[in-house]
Amino acid sequence: MSTKFNLSHLPIGQAAVVHSIKCTGSIRRRLLDLGLVPGTKVVAVRRSPAGDPTAFLIRGALVALRKEEAEQVGVTFPIENKEVI
């Protein structure tokens, strides 16, 4: 059984795998262009002191996403989830 949740809830230093993009239109296009396609591994690297945005490591690039954007990305923990950072 896998646990599905939004990318905005991924703890810092943890990895997850994208399983869905919930939005449509230009925001969906932007997320897909950033490499957030199903099967992609994402690592939460750092969160702003104010709590938003959060920096994620996606396909070797560090990308900052606002909470509203990260909530549109459905993820699940990979089978093996080791602390990466």
Side-chain angles (χ1 to χ4, degrees):
M1 181 174 142
S2 64
T3 303
K4 296 179 180 178
F5 55 98
N6 293 333
L7 184 59
S8 63
H9 294 109
L10 183 64
I12 299 301
Q14 295 291 309
V17 176
V18 175
H19 72 78
S20 65
I21 303 292
K22 302 172 186 172
C23 57
T24 60
S26 60
I27 295 174
R28 179 182 177 84
R29 182 77 257 161
R30 179 175 182 262
L31 294 174
L32 292 171
D33 287 347
L34 290 171
L36 289 167
V37 296
T40 300
K41 182 180 175 183
V42 179
V43 179
V45 176
R46 181 169 297 167
R47 187 162 288 129
S48 155
D52 191 35
T54 301
F56 297 96
L57 187 62
I58 305 168
R59 298 180 181 256
L62 195 60
V63 177
L65 295 177
R66 297 241 174 244
K67 184 177 179 183
E68 297 83 26
E69 297 167 322
E71 286 177 343
Q72 302 302 316
V73 180
V75 295
T76 185
F77 283 120
I79 293 174
E80 64 172 274
N81 194 6
K82 297 184 274 186
E83 190 157 320
V84 177
I85 299 172

